[in-house]
Amino acid sequence: MKFKRLVPLKTAAVFMVFCCALLLPHSGSGSSDSIMPEVKSYQLENGVKVFTIDDDLPRTEIVVSISYGKLFEDMHNAGMSDVIANTLLLSGSAKYPGDSVISTLESAGGSISVDAGWESITISVRVLERHTGLAFDIIGDLLTNPLFNSDTVKYSAGYVYEKHRRKMDDPAAKGMAALRSVIFNDKGYGANITRQSISSITESSVREVWARHTTGGNIIVSVSSSMDGESIAGQCKKSFSSVTKGPRQYYAADMDMVKSQIAAKSRNIYLIPADFDQATIICGVTAPDVKYQGNYTIEVMNYILGGGSFGSRLMTEIREKRGLAYSVFSYVASRYSTGFFLCFAQTRNEEAGNVLSLINANISRMYTEPVPGDELEWAKNSIINSYVFTFSKISQILASYFTMEYYDLEPDYYSRYTSRIAAVTAEEITNESRKLFANGLVTVVVGKKEIEKELSKYGNVVIIEEKL
Amino acid sequence: MQRRFFVKRRQKSNNMRRFYTAAVFAIVIFTAGANYPAEINVAGNYLKNNVVERKLANGITVLMMNRGYSPTVALEISFRAGSVDESYDTSGAAHILEHMLFKGTEEFGTKDYASERKILNRIEAVGETIDRLKLENPGNTRIPQLEAELKSLEEQQAMYSDNSTYDMVYSVNGGVGFNAGTSKDMTSYVVQLPSDKLELWAGVESERLKKPVLREYYKERNNVYEERLTYESNPGRVIYESLYATAFTAHPYRHPVIGWKSNVRYMSVHDVRRFYRDYYIPSRMTITVVGKIDIEKTYSIIDRYFGSMKSRPEPGGIKIIEPQQQGERRAVVRMASRPMLLIAWKKPAVPSIDDFTFDIIASALGSGDSSRLYKSLVIDRKVANNIYAWNGAPGARYDNLFGIFASPADGVTPEQLEQEIYAEIKRFREGITAGEIERVINMSESEFIFMLDDNESIAGQLGYCQTVFGDWRYLVSYIDMIKSINMDMVRAAMDKYMNDDNRTVVVLKDSRGGK
């Protein structure tokens, strides 16, 4: 096979050496044959990048990621990636028109999904080994010869809009959407689907986005299969070589402007009235992008604050000590050129103010008090010692390669990960927390309107009537 | 938070459900001569050849499987004890007990148990009195005084408490997914650890199960109450809760796993403790270990730590049998939500062959985008936004339900969609093809093989089948079982069970107006 070697994938060798070391048996495990499956990688002439891994069960899974997702959208076309994903599945391709994509695969016992994520649209096909050729044929034809007809686009737009409305019946989803909208000014993370945004999506706009983004530099293919590597390489070449050559495309995120507006918004508490006995409280702020060197510190900070399950501060202070919430946590996500941090809790309406003040107090502690040594060691050891689970399934190994490639991470990103976590200090946590929360946090509460007075003790309450 | 997802996994995994419902029938006669490819038995043989089953002297079943390349292990302890084993008054006890088993023992989670114990005893006495008085007369003037005393006692007890002890021990040792889940049929405690932490796990879990201390009970009960409130704002949960309570008039499958709101608020700690004593017994317990392990060393460790658990008498099954339904039952739920529709029919559970037949019916009708209902009503006619069929809810230890969930498309009422569904079911009954059955078999085989992807899911499947059906080998024979189903059997099962008098329908209507 003639495949152009992908230069950045020299990083794969570093990664592999590291992972093999990671998977060496711990002392006393009684296992001496822990060998991680090898990942092969190459690039087609048109720029499509391919990662493959052997599977010991008779099956094949192909995942094609196209760099276009919700972060590419704004308030004018929110829903575009979802409509593309749905239309692709329903309209099919030249060789497999209409829903014959689905029926052909399901008749063979296979399955297909097309999902729109924040940064990519992902086509995933699973089949037993004997149907591997069919799977490649279908996914290749979908990628290169999709049929986007106006009726299907119109139907998909309605379908996506209705699905979104149903999702917004959940107070947690509604609160999350409102929070992102306020922080990110209805763009990228903040672009929520509306009737207007959905109405703007047409056959021609779908075709235009698809053509612009399904180019070689924008596509990463991951394959796990029990078939031999040479056969898989041949199938990849056959199915994906006709993809148009083209560069990688990125979404724009004006994070400086977004951050500059947080201070004014963080003085408000946005209340969405909802007639449930329980209030949902979400506080959020922008977080650094994926390449920010302080992310290791932020990860440890988040683990201590609310990411570290039952041992975290929010869980301990709000749930374990006071019995105020079942669900309470913090979360941080870093992406190519944006990021998002949030704290979440659900409590009975009469305790909403109390829980909000506990969240704020614990966030404040992160930048006003050094984390005690034993707590810091617990968090770092927990992250480091569980790192082995990042690669415990072949799909996770492939996903790690995908992440490294998609975000153009340093070649030693994974191999140095644990040492970087180990190096985090209490002082760094205080400093990074101060930076992260410098402008305060935006707060959204979904709860009874009667709690407005109580919430007003903690900020200027702005009522958001149902508009999502 | 995580516990919720665990319960959901059990309830919503309709595809995997197929593998739970294998049976005790002779299977070979139907499959002789069938021309299925070689992979058809790969998944079953993979388990048959690699799962090792042992039994401790006290009756605990141990399932072990050495697999994979990663030096990690998934560990699950399951009890054949769920909400179906509760009474009307104790609905929710199994779930609260699951929460309380995160609270430690006489050694774990305390700085000084001897001193703490006196306070715990007083907390229980005061807490139980407050509940009793509130139930008798919420305006009783003693209540505020007792509540103040309870608060003071809890503050005293907190000085002895080490919060989240188990979580801290597991997380610092690299553990992930430390969790538990309660369903109608069973309760499970799970964690994944590096393989060399197996003995640590055995030490912690055996202590946890042998000598639990139900400390901080009233605070944790409040957390469960919050969990209950979360359910009440979720329309999907609300409509299913209404379905089970409507379809079952006597059988405890009608009760929600989490318990009714009033049960949770006043659940007695004595009832929770009684549930532990009655049902957390070795004969109802299965330990499942899947991952990179040495089988003999693993068994030796488990025997050393769990072998001393004392056997106790079997409490027996429930006596209530759901009466024969004598007419359609309908319920309407109103809440701020887009409309939904649930239709269900009663049918037998494993080991009835009809249960397998309904697996075929559920998949052919409503599993996958090319299934009858989805293709006809969502893709072609566009009267539904979503639709799927399921078999075997709300539990599988006793006779249960086959059902269809649907959300109408914008502008279509649930009642209109309901009629469309009946018409499609009729067309299916009259025109089912061999190709549709073959599609289901192919999908089941494929799903089975993809289920074998990781330690956690394999441990979950093995533990479930052993606990609920009494034998993990149901997984091995499942594909052969559904291959034994033919079109005549499908039609016969539909005729017998999918009739109007055996049906329950729940419609969720949008309280905000509109269709």
Side-chain angles (χ1 to χ4, degrees):
Chain A
M1 290 294 154
K2 283 168 58 183
F3 292 115
K4 183 178 163 189
R5 296 297 298 181
L6 178 65
V7 177
L9 297 189
K10 282 188 292 189
T11 58
V14 179
F15 181 49
M16 182 59 65
V17 169
F18 158 70
C19 287
C20 286
L22 183 74
L23 292 174
L24 284 175
H26 292 222
S27 59
S29 68
S31 310
S32 59
D33 53 348
S34 298
I35 299 171
M36 194 173 81
E38 183 188 0
V39 174
K40 296 187 178 76
S41 55
Y42 41 83
Q43 182 173 329
L44 304 182
E45 296 290 346
N46 55 10
V48 171
K49 297 162 192 81
V50 181
F51 295 102
T52 68
I53 192 167
D54 290 341
D55 194 338
D56 58 357
L57 286 163
R59 59 190 186 182
T60 296
E61 179 165 16
I62 310 163
V63 179
V64 173
S65 298
I66 302 147
S67 181
Y68 178 81
K70 295 169 187 179
L71 287 173
F72 290 74
E73 299 169 1
D74 59 27
M75 65 189 295
H76 303 295
N77 69 343
M80 172 64 85
S81 51
D82 275 319
V83 172
I84 289 174
N86 200 65
T87 307
L88 193 63
L89 204 53
L90 289 182
S91 58
S93 63
K95 193 171 173 185
Y96 300 94
D99 57 12
S100 66
V101 167
I102 300 165
S103 58
T104 304
L105 273 170
E106 289 189 355
S107 294
S111 63
I112 181 168
S113 63
V114 186
D115 298 306
W118 289 111
E119 293 176 309
S120 56
I121 292 173
T122 304
I123 309 170
S124 177
V125 173
R126 288 175 153 201
V127 290
L128 294 178
E129 182 192 287
R130 63 179 183 268
H131 300 301
T132 299
L134 174 70
F136 271 103
D137 199 42
I138 286 177
I139 210 164
D141 207 46
L142 266 182
L143 198 59
T144 51
N145 302 301
L147 299 174
F148 291 120
N149 63 62
S150 59
D151 284 349
T152 313
V153 170
K154 191 177 173 189
Y155 167 72
S156 293
Y159 175 88
V160 167
Y161 181 60
E162 175 66 14
K163 196 173 163 188
H164 174 75
R165 290 172 75 191
R166 288 183 175 277
K167 189 178 171 188
M168 291 302 109
D169 286 336
D170 174 10
K174 187 186 290 185
M176 209 74 85
L179 180 77
R180 289 196 304 260
S181 169
V182 172
I183 294 175
F184 293 94
N185 300 323
D186 299 317
K187 189 175 179 191
Y189 263 129
N192 285 316
I193 292 171
T194 62
R195 192 179 288 278
Q196 290 72 26
S197 73
I198 281 292
S199 302
S200 75
I201 298 169
T202 62
E203 179 194 349
S204 63
S205 63
V206 164
R207 286 182 183 280
E208 190 272 324
V209 170
W210 182 259
R212 183 151 33 95
H213 288 270
T214 50
T215 57
N218 246 15
I219 293 172
I220 300 174
V221 177
S222 308
V223 184
S224 59
S225 177
S226 48
M227 290 185 71
D228 68 271
E230 187 123 336
S231 301
I232 294 299
Q235 294 276 11
C236 285
K237 187 179 182 189
K238 185 178 163 194
S239 297
F240 306 121
S241 287
S242 58
V243 169
T244 312
K245 205 169 184 172
R248 169 80 185 274
Q249 301 199 34
Y250 303 96
Y251 55 91
D254 189 348
M255 295 303 287
D256 289 339
M257 190 190 73
V258 169
K259 276 193 273 189
S260 70
Q261 296 174 351
I262 296 276
K265 295 171 183 172
S266 68
R267 286 191 281 273
N268 297 333
I269 295 171
Y270 298 88
L271 173 63
I272 303 173
D275 193 22
F276 295 118
D277 289 342
Q278 191 176 57
T280 300
I281 303 159
I282 318 174
C283 308
V285 71
T286 58
D289 64 60
V290 73
K291 287 192 173 179
Y292 178 62
Q293 284 303 307
N295 279 342
Y296 303 97
T297 304
I298 291 175
E299 183 175 351
V300 176
M301 181 280 293
N302 180 57
Y303 196 92
I304 292 167
L305 177 63
S309 65
F310 291 96
S312 71
R313 288 184 180 184
L314 291 177
M315 183 65 97
T316 302
E317 294 298 324
I318 294 173
R319 175 169 161 162
E320 299 296 312
K321 285 188 181 173
R322 293 176 175 83
L324 291 172
Y326 170 68
S327 182
V328 53
F329 60 88
S330 66
Y331 169 81
V332 64
S334 296
R335 301 193 180 275
Y336 192 85
S337 55
T338 186
F340 190 35
F341 169 88
L342 66 87
C343 291
F344 177 99
Q346 290 183 307
T347 187
R348 43 202 182 273
N349 279 286
E350 57 270 29
E351 296 288 352
N354 186 19
V355 168
L356 177 58
S357 71
L358 285 165
I359 290 173
N360 287 333
N362 279 284
I363 287 172
S364 173
R365 275 181 68 202
M366 298 309 309
Y367 57 83
T368 54
E369 299 172 19
V371 174
D374 55 348
E375 192 177 21
L376 179 61
E377 286 310 302
W378 161 71
K380 292 198 293 187
N381 286 333
S382 298
I383 295 169
I384 291 166
N385 291 336
S386 62
Y387 194 50
V388 64
F389 287 98
T390 309
F391 312 103
S392 64
K393 294 193 281 187
I394 57 171
S395 57
Q396 292 172 319
I397 298 171
L398 275 177
S400 301
Y401 277 81
F402 170 84
T403 301
M404 203 156 60
E405 180 62 34
Y406 188 87
Y407 292 129
D408 190 23
L409 299 175
E410 300 164 22
D412 59 356
Y413 176 79
Y414 285 105
S415 60
R416 292 188 59 188
Y417 182 84
T418 53
S419 61
R420 282 169 168 162
I421 291 289
V424 171
T425 66
E427 188 183 1
E428 287 171 342
I429 289 178
T430 308
N431 291 339
E432 287 299 339
S433 300
R434 191 173 292 126
K435 282 190 245 174
L436 188 65
F437 306 125
N439 296 315
L441 287 94
V442 174
T443 301
V444 169
V445 178
V446 184
K448 284 190 187 287
K449 202 166 183 178
E450 291 81 349
I451 65 176
E452 179 182 359
K453 190 177 172 190
E454 176 65 19
L455 291 177
S456 65
K457 293 177 187 170
Y458 308 97
N460 174 46
V461 178
V462 177
I463 305 285
I464 305 179
E465 295 295 347
E466 289 236 20
K467 64 167 189 175
L468 295 167
Chain B
M1 166 185 61
Q2 291 171 321
R3 287 174 207 162
R4 180 183 61 204
F5 298 136
F6 188 81
V7 173
K8 189 177 173 185
R9 174 163 71 87
R10 296 289 190 219
Q11 291 177 339
K12 294 287 183 182
S13 183
N14 298 314
N15 292 332
M16 286 303 104
R17 159 81 181 98
R18 293 200 195 99
F19 306 116
Y20 301 155
T21 55
V24 294
F25 294 93
I27 56 175
V28 182
I29 49 171
F30 295 104
T31 58
N35 187 26
Y36 287 98
E39 292 100 319
I40 197 84
N41 287 319
V42 166
N45 286 339
Y46 181 70
L47 295 177
K48 193 163 76 177
N49 296 335
N50 291 291
V51 175
V52 176
E53 179 184 351
R54 303 268 174 86
K55 210 173 252 301
L56 302 186
N58 57 9
I60 296 173
T61 303
V62 183
L63 305 178
M64 296 166 289
M65 184 176 183
N66 177 30
R67 72 168 293 278
Y69 60 87
S70 170
T72 56
V73 63
L75 302 141
E76 176 163 329
I77 297 175
S78 308
F79 290 92
R80 186 177 167 86
S83 65
V84 76
D85 299 299
E86 300 160 347
S87 71
Y88 252 88
D89 273 346
T90 63
S91 165
H95 176 250
I96 291 187
L97 174 60
E98 172 225 302
H99 275 244
M100 294 312 298
L101 283 195
F102 284 75
K103 292 294 181 182
T105 65
E106 295 175 10
E107 280 83 34
F108 279 92
T110 184
K111 297 182 177 99
D112 175 4
Y113 183 65
S115 303
E116 184 194 20
R117 187 177 182 177
K118 294 167 199 157
I119 304 170
L120 290 174
N121 288 341
R122 181 62 191 158
I123 285 175
E124 283 193 14
V126 174
E128 293 293 302
T129 305
I130 292 171
D131 285 351
R132 181 173 52 78
L133 294 179
K134 278 186 174 174
L135 283 166
E136 287 169 4
N137 173 19
N140 189 307
T141 53
R142 285 181 61 204
I143 292 173
Q145 183 190 343
L146 287 166
E147 285 180 331
E149 184 185 354
L150 180 62
K151 192 178 176 197
S152 168
L153 287 164
E154 286 179 333
E155 284 168 2
Q156 291 173 48
Q157 183 274 332
M159 291 191 287
Y160 295 100
S161 180
D162 273 341
N163 286 299
S164 308
T165 310
Y166 296 133
D167 187 76
M168 302 292 264
V169 169
Y170 282 140
S171 58
V172 83
N173 282 285
V176 297
F178 177 48
N179 211 334
T182 309
S183 70
K184 306 275 188 196
D185 292 335
M186 64 185 281
T187 307
S188 294
Y189 299 85
V190 298
V191 67
Q192 293 184 74
L193 284 162
S195 295
D196 62 344
K197 302 300 179 191
L198 193 74
E199 186 154 6
L200 169 90
W201 164 84
V204 169
E205 294 300 317
S206 58
E207 172 82 7
R208 180 189 192 191
L209 293 171
K210 281 189 269 191
K211 292 187 281 187
V213 172
L214 309 190
R215 57 172 57 87
E216 298 167 343
Y217 177 76
Y218 299 98
K219 287 182 193 169
E220 193 57 31
R221 194 177 69 177
N222 280 343
N223 290 328
V224 175
Y225 185 71
E226 290 291 345
E227 187 180 359
R228 169 79 215 180
L229 293 184
T230 304
Y231 283 20
E232 291 179 4
S233 63
N234 181 324
R237 285 195 180 274
V238 170
I239 191 173
Y240 269 96
E241 188 169 287
S242 177
L243 172 75
Y244 301 145
T246 307
F248 295 95
T249 55
H251 194 275
Y253 272 165
R254 74 191 312 266
H255 300 302
V257 171
I258 196 169
W260 300 105
K261 203 171 181 175
S262 51
N263 285 88
V264 174
R265 180 162 262 175
Y266 296 108
M267 180 70 67
S268 164
V269 67
H270 302 309
D271 288 332
V272 174
R273 195 171 280 123
R274 192 174 302 117
F275 192 89
Y276 162 77
R277 285 183 188 140
D278 288 348
Y279 290 96
Y280 277 40
I281 56 177
S283 58
R284 285 184 173 237
M285 180 173 165
T286 297
I287 296 174
T288 309
V289 185
V290 177
K292 208 73 190 160
I293 55 168
D294 178 299
I295 295 289
E296 294 309 322
K297 281 183 185 169
T298 299
Y299 182 71
S300 170
I301 289 170
I302 289 172
D303 190 26
R304 196 178 330 137
Y305 284 92
F306 293 92
S308 60
M309 283 183 74
K310 289 194 175 78
S311 300
R312 290 200 290 271
E314 167 62 38
I318 61 170
K319 297 182 183 69
I320 299 169
I321 297 170
E322 178 67 18
Q324 174 73 38
Q325 188 167 329
Q326 292 175 307
E328 184 188 57
R329 293 178 190 151
R330 299 186 74 88
V332 175
V333 176
R334 290 186 198 278
M335 67 184 293
S337 161
R338 304 285 295 154
M340 298 175 185
L341 172 68
L342 264 174
I343 309 167
W345 293 264
K346 291 206 180 80
K347 34 75 58 178
V350 169
S352 169
I353 188 69
D354 290 332
D355 186 74
F356 293 89
T357 308
F358 272 102
D359 275 355
I360 295 273
I361 295 169
S363 287
L365 268 179
S367 178
D369 292 0
S370 67
S371 63
R372 281 269 185 153
L373 290 171
Y374 196 92
K375 178 167 167 44
S376 169
L377 303 181
V378 177
I379 296 178
D380 293 342
R381 308 201 43 231
K382 301 174 178 44
V383 292
N385 192 252
N386 189 21
I387 191 164
Y388 61 85
W390 43 264
N391 179 37
R397 279 169 53 190
Y398 300 94
D399 287 353
N400 50 34
L401 302 170
F402 159 80
I404 294 165
F405 170 90
S407 51
D410 195 23
V412 177
T413 66
E415 290 79 7
Q416 289 167 337
L417 180 56
E418 185 184 350
Q419 295 310 312
E420 298 276 1
I421 290 170
Y422 296 149
E424 196 57 45
I425 288 172
K426 190 177 176 194
R427 282 191 284 273
F428 173 74
R429 158 70 181 77
E430 288 162 1
I432 184 172
T433 65
E436 285 176 293
I437 293 183
E438 189 180 346
R439 168 185 168 275
V440 173
I441 292 167
N442 287 339
M443 286 177 71
S444 300
E445 177 197 8
S446 181
E447 285 163 10
F448 197 169
I449 288 177
F450 277 97
M451 179 270 288
L452 300 172
D453 195 36
D454 64 280
N455 297 338
E456 187 187 20
S457 56
I458 295 171
Q461 299 290 338
L462 291 171
Y464 178 90
C465 289
Q466 184 66 35
T467 305
V468 173
F469 303 134
D471 193 347
W472 60 272
R473 292 174 192 80
Y474 290 155
L475 286 167
V476 175
S477 58
Y478 181 79
I479 296 293
D480 285 331
M481 282 303 303
I482 61 163
K483 279 164 57 185
S484 73
I485 311 296
N486 58 39
M487 287 184 286
D488 288 340
M489 294 162 79
V490 167
R491 280 190 283 264
M494 292 181 77
D495 291 345
K496 188 171 180 183
Y497 300 106
M498 291 178 70
N499 55 66
D500 296 357
D501 287 347
N502 192 37
R503 185 169 68 207
T504 304
V505 180
V506 183
V507 176
L508 190 149
K509 295 195 173 185
D510 193 339
S511 60
R512 299 165 297 192
K515 285 182 176 178

